[in-house]
Amino acid sequence: MLLGAALGWQRGKFMRITVDPATHALNQSSSPAAILFIVALILARSAGRAALASGTGTAMLHLNTIAITDMLIAFGLGLFAAQRLEMYLRGRRLLDEARRLSR
């Protein structure tokens, strides 16, 4: 979960967040770095799946399918929770700054 949280925090930092100066509406969009980050995670997952399918991954790590599934669920939870938390905190900070400047 901690690895997922660290990677999620980094992915959240890659997201672009802008504030409309007139309406103070927050807008977010994915940056090219965030998309490449997800592609790298998918490639790592594919490599892991290939190692597990060949049988060398589970024998080498002494893991079973249930343990791997649990780890991936915890990784995903950490990834998405930390990403959203980082984006929320940064969005709130940008919005407070925009409101302060408009006064």
Side-chain angles (χ1 to χ4, degrees):
M1 184 182 271
L2 291 176
L3 177 62
L7 292 175
W9 191 267
Q10 186 60 41
R11 184 166 189 268
K13 288 171 62 174
F14 285 145
M15 298 299 217
R16 294 181 195 156
I17 300 175
T18 58
V19 180
D20 186 325
T23 64
H24 294 152
L26 289 171
N27 299 307
Q28 71 93 25
S29 63
S30 184
S31 70
I35 294 171
L36 288 175
F37 187 79
I38 287 296
V39 169
L41 286 177
I42 291 170
L43 290 174
R45 180 180 173 266
S46 297
R49 179 178 274 184
L52 291 175
S54 68
T56 58
T58 55
M60 184 176 64
L61 297 175
H62 304 290
L63 298 173
N64 62 18
T65 307
I66 295 172
I68 293 168
T69 302
D70 288 346
M71 284 187 266
L72 289 174
I73 289 171
F75 177 83
L77 176 66
L79 182 86
F80 292 117
Q83 176 187 345
R84 299 300 180 201
L85 178 62
E86 195 283 331
M87 291 173 64
Y88 168 76
L89 293 173
R90 190 164 35 109
R92 194 171 92 192
R93 187 179 66 241
L94 289 171
L95 187 58
D96 289 344
E97 185 177 308
R99 286 179 178 158
R100 189 176 60 245
L101 291 174
S102 67
R103 290 182 190 168

